[in-house]
């Protein structure tokens, strides 16, 4: 069993010279409600039979390294995941209410206003 209180988080890798991402703590329910409008990429509760979701659950039960934070962006008024949607869904389904995500610096204030829980 994974102790969700002891997850060690790490930011995504960024190419040399790229501006560092900003970490914000989001309200999982708020972000999930917005994400549900993305029918093509939304991961339904239970993973929707997706193998990435299942593989992450298996990996984290034995992980000895930090979990990479999901990376979130905004496009056409909706949110989308550049990386980590299955990780987000797995934690959401286990009742995590707050989760760190990385965002590009120019979107941090907007995403924090919309989904932050600071």
């Amino acid at each position: 069993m994974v102790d969700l209180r002891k997850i060690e988080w790490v930011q995504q890798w960024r190419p040399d010279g790229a501006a560092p991402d900003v970490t914000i703590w989001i309200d999982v329910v708020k972000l999930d409600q917005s994400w549900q409008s993305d029918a093509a990429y939304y991961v339904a509760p239970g993973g929707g039979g997706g193998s990435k979701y299942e593989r992450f659950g298996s990996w984290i039960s034995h992980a000895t390294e930090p979990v990479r934070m999901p990376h979130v962006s905004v496009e056409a008024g909706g949110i989308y995941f550049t990386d980590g949607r299955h990780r987000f869904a797995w934690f959401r389904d286990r009742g995590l209410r707050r989760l760190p995500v990385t965002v590009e610096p120019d979107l941090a204030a907007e995403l924090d206003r919309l989904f932050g829980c600071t």
Side-chain angles (χ1 to χ4, degrees):
M1 184 67 160
V2 177
D3 186 346
L4 298 176
R5 296 168 297 172
K6 295 184 179 183
I7 298 294
E8 182 182 351
W9 299 96
V10 65
Q11 283 198 358
Q12 301 283 340
W13 172 85
R14 294 285 289 170
D16 288 340
D21 288 329
V22 175
T23 299
I24 61 171
W25 283 84
I26 55 95
D27 180 307
V28 170
V29 172
K30 284 182 190 177
L31 188 77
D32 188 60
Q33 287 172 341
S34 179
W35 183 34
Q36 288 175 26
S37 65
D38 185 358
Y41 292 101
Y42 181 70
V43 178
S51 61
K52 283 185 176 184
Y53 179 96
E54 294 162 0
R55 282 195 314 259
F56 179 74
S58 179
W59 174 83
I60 197 167
S61 67
H62 304 291
T64 58
E65 58 192 71
V67 175
R68 288 185 300 152
M69 296 175 209
H71 186 82
V72 179
S73 195
V74 176
E75 183 174 283
I79 66 105
Y80 71 95
F81 287 85
T82 304
D83 186 61
R85 64 192 177 109
H86 294 92
R87 274 172 272 155
F88 175 87
W90 192 90
F91 285 114
R92 173 203 63 206
D93 292 352
R94 274 134 194 94
L96 207 65
R97 307 299 284 173
R98 297 180 58 206
L99 179 80
V101 298
T102 57
V103 300
E104 295 175 22
D106 59 332
L107 297 174
E110 178 183 6
L111 286 167
D112 190 42
R113 180 182 58 79
L114 293 171
F115 307 111
C117 57
T118 54

